[in-house]
């Protein structure tokens, strides 16, 4: 597959942009520059077409350039929905209505531009509400780019050192330039380890615990039975704010979020990605008594939320259109995604068995990940110890060479959209069989 134009574009951009990309998470090999996306397919600068399962880190639940969403965006521009910068707008009000109607735990919401901003505000709200400073996060979870959560995702085990159940992990920052004293108030525990959570709650004055309900930045690592319920119970006993980061899980698995499927009601929730089907928009919402700190009459208790582009009409128009589609088609859309996901999972499992490859496909609805290990992982340490990372990377690159795009980094989830068809899944399985036949 010829990618000369993509490589030339990267070389040109590197002269002015550090790394050649404006988000370093996108700096991977092969260096493919995508220039167009429609439905379930994307095209690169050289004209090569790919079936897309990366989905820009998963916001495209309805597929690229969904006609209704695109029409809503164009209509908003044509009708003069411009950034006012003063007062409220009818559009942000409608988006708030749709969010609160969809997710049972949302009494109030605020709109941000990104999911990272939403999780930033969640920490600030929790600290103002509780009067405490400490935060608990998950090893293997990703909750944004800001200092106190930019840590401990795919951390090498040699950096983490020995670990036993019920213990904390050392704070492992994802970036240089972060203050060293952050580690004094941010505590990292293993996912699915309630004893470690309890230990932190007893030892520190914890304001909030932040977690993805499913770890979807190291594939698809699910909560064990009773884990989320245990977090809720422990947070209640210790007066800790429970924050579910549904930036990746929200709207992808159900209109009411994964929390609706799990039957667990958090105090605060954050959303992004699928909420606007590819347009930049995040949200934070939850209990009225916490959220109303944003407008508290006492300036010493009021929590600041600001952002010139919060609620920008263009992404809000996309979000309204997306959420109205999900509301209208919920009864058909999610079962169809489940059926496509099941077809993919069963097909992959049959192929791995046929070629004698030790692999486990873990899936939640439209999100899936292949682990080259003999069981579904329960946490990051399990993945790091047992998953064949090198084989995973070879597998992904071999699929890309055959026109099936998975993000070329081990354990990153695959994402189906409503634009994918059974024929697309079958074509993916044919490409997979070719890869396995070659002995990858």
């Amino acid at each position: 597959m010829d990618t000369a134009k993509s490589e030339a574009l990267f070389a040109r951009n590197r002269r002015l942009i550090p790394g050649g990309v404006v988000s370093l998470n996108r700096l991977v090999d092969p260096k493919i520059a995508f220039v167009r996306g429609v439905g379930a397919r994307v095209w690169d600068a050289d004209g090569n077409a790919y079936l897309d399962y990366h989905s820009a880190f998963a916001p495209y639940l309805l597929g690229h350039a969904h006609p209704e969403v695109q029409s809503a965006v164009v209509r908003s521009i044509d009708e003069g929905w411009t950034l006012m910068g003063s007062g409220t707008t009818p559009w942000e009000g409608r988006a708030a209505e749709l969010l609160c109607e969809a997710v049972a735990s949302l009494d109030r919401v605020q709109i941000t531009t990104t999911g990272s901003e939403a999780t930033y505000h969640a920490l600030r709200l929790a600290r103002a509400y509780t009067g405490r400073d400490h935060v608990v996060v998950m090893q293997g979870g990703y909750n944004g780019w800001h200092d106190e959560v930019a840590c401990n995702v795919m951390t090498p085990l040699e950096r983490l050192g020995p670990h036993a159940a019920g213990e904390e992990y050392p704070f492992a920052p994802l970036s240089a330039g972060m203050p060293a004293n952050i580690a004094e108030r941010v505590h990292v525990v293993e996912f699915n380890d309630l004893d470690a959570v309890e230990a932190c709650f007893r030892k520190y004055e914890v304001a909030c615990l932040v977690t993805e309900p499913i770890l979807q930045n190291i594939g698809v690592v699910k909560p064990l039975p009773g884990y989320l319920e245990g977090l809720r119970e422990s947070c209640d006993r210790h007066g800790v704010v429970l924050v579910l980061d549904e930036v990746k899980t929200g709207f992808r698995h159900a209109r009411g979020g994964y929390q609706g499927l799990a039957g667990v009601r958090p105090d605060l929730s954050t959303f992004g990605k699928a909420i606007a089907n590819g347009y930049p928009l995040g949200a934070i919402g939850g209990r009225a008594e916490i959220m109303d700190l944003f407008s508290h009459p006492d300036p010493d208790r009021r929590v600041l939320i600001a952002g010139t582009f919060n609620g920008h009409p263009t992404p809000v128009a996309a979000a309204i259109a997306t959420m109205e589609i999900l509301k209208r088609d919920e009864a058909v859309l999610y079962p169809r995604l489940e059926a496509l996901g099941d077809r993919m999972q069963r097909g992959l499992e049959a192929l791995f068995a046929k070629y004698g490859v030790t692999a486990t496909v873990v899936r939640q609805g439209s999100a899936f990940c292949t682990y080259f290990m003999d069981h579904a992982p329960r946490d990051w340490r399990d993945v790091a110890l047992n998953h064949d990372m090198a084989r995973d990377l070879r597998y992904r690159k071999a699929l890309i060479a055959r026109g099936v795009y998975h993000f070329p980094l081990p354990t990153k989830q695959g994402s189906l959209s409503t634009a994918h068809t059974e024929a697309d899944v079958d074509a993916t399985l044919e490409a997979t069989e070719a890869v396995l036949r070659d002995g990858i």
Side-chain angles (χ1 to χ4, degrees):
M1 186 174 286
D2 183 10
T3 58
K5 291 182 180 178
S6 286
E7 292 169 15
L9 182 59
F10 266 91
R12 183 165 69 250
N13 286 356
R14 270 197 299 268
R15 292 180 298 178
L16 298 175
I17 301 173
V21 293
V22 296
S23 172
L24 270 295
N25 287 340
R26 289 166 21 200
L27 185 57
V28 291
D29 182 57
K31 292 179 174 61
I32 298 171
F34 293 106
V35 297
R36 180 171 174 255
V38 177
R41 285 170 171 75
V42 289
W43 287 262
D44 66 20
D46 295 271
N48 300 307
Y50 306 80
L51 267 171
D52 181 26
Y53 294 103
H54 172 46
S55 188
F57 294 104
Y60 286 106
L61 183 63
L62 304 177
H64 294 272
H66 186 278
E68 287 185 66
V69 177
Q70 298 298 85
S71 293
V73 168
V74 171
R75 186 169 60 253
S76 72
I77 294 170
D78 288 345
E79 292 179 1
W81 293 22
T82 59
L83 182 68
M84 306 300 182
S86 178
T88 193
T89 73
W91 318 305
E92 61 196 37
R94 178 57 179 156
E97 288 173 353
L98 287 164
L99 280 163
C100 290
E101 179 187 90
V103 184
S105 69
L106 305 187
D107 299 329
R108 306 275 196 276
V109 295
Q110 274 284 11
I111 296 172
T112 65
T113 305
T114 67
S116 288
E117 292 168 57
T119 57
Y120 190 100
H121 289 303
L123 268 60
R124 184 176 278 175
L125 277 175
R127 284 172 166 152
Y129 180 72
T130 62
R132 305 171 183 174
D133 290 338
H134 291 254
V135 175
V136 174
V137 298
M138 299 295 147
Q139 174 65 51
Y142 179 74
N143 307 113
W145 45 253
H146 46 99
D147 284 354
E148 291 178 289
V149 295
C151 63
N152 295 72
V153 184
M154 298 176 67
T155 320
L157 291 186
E158 57 269 23
R159 186 177 181 190
L160 293 174
H163 181 264
E167 294 181 347
E168 286 181 59
Y169 276 113
F171 184 87
L174 299 181
S175 174
M178 293 167 59
N181 65 2
I182 286 176
E184 297 173 6
R185 61 183 182 270
V186 178
H187 311 286
V188 183
V189 299
E190 193 70 91
F191 192 65
N192 281 318
D193 187 349
L194 287 173
D195 289 340
V197 171
E198 268 293 315
C200 283
F201 287 179
R202 289 193 300 268
K203 186 175 181 181
Y204 308 107
E205 289 293 312
V206 176
C208 65
L209 179 146
V210 184
T211 185
E212 302 168 80
I214 301 175
L215 296 188
Q216 284 190 212
N217 284 280
I218 54 170
V220 180
V221 177
K222 297 185 180 184
L224 294 175
Y227 176 66
L228 295 178
E229 295 88 343
L231 291 181
R232 175 71 279 172
E233 191 274 335
S234 189
C235 285
D236 286 342
R237 277 192 295 105
H238 293 274
V240 174
V241 174
L242 175 60
V243 182
L244 287 189
D245 178 354
E246 293 230 45
V247 168
K248 290 196 83 169
T249 57
F251 299 95
R252 175 160 287 280
H253 300 317
R255 192 166 73 95
Y258 185 77
Q259 60 191 261
L261 297 178
V264 173
R265 191 182 184 99
D267 300 303
L268 294 173
S269 303
T270 57
F271 298 92
K273 308 283 187 196
I275 195 173
N277 202 58
Y279 285 84
L281 188 138
I284 176 172
R287 288 167 48 195
E289 62 183 307
I290 303 177
M291 290 294 297
D292 284 347
L293 290 172
F294 281 134
S295 56
H296 199 282
D298 182 351
D300 291 331
R301 294 200 61 199
R302 189 182 309 140
V303 174
L304 174 66
I305 183 167
T308 299
F309 294 104
N310 285 1
H312 189 287
T314 302
V316 167
I320 291 170
T322 300
M323 289 187 287
E324 287 181 338
I325 291 167
L326 297 181
K327 178 181 179 181
R328 181 192 70 204
D329 298 340
E330 179 179 13
V332 175
L333 185 150
Y334 289 106
R336 182 172 179 277
L337 285 170
E338 172 62 29
L340 285 173
D342 181 66
R343 188 182 188 92
M344 179 72 79
Q345 181 177 2
R346 287 187 294 104
L348 290 173
E349 289 171 344
L351 287 172
F352 293 133
K354 177 179 178 180
Y355 287 91
V357 174
T358 299
T360 302
V361 180
V362 184
R363 180 178 65 86
Q364 178 66 44
S366 58
F368 64 98
C369 184
T370 295
Y371 295 97
F372 291 101
M373 52 194 284
D374 64 5
H375 61 278
R378 59 173 287 155
D379 51 42
W380 167 245
R381 181 170 288 269
D382 193 1
V383 174
L385 286 172
N386 296 297
H387 175 56
D388 189 337
M389 299 282 186
R391 187 173 207 173
D392 190 350
L393 186 57
R394 293 195 305 271
Y395 172 74
R396 290 166 183 267
K397 289 185 175 183
L399 284 171
I400 290 170
R402 288 167 174 79
V404 175
Y405 196 82
H406 283 275
F407 195 66
L409 187 69
T411 77
K412 290 303 177 184
Q413 79 174 61
S415 300
L416 287 151
S417 73
T418 59
H420 285 90
T421 64
E422 290 185 353
D424 292 333
V425 172
D426 292 344
T428 302
L429 296 173
E430 289 176 11
T432 303
E433 181 157 26
V435 167
L436 297 176
R437 193 185 300 122
D438 288 345
I440 298 299

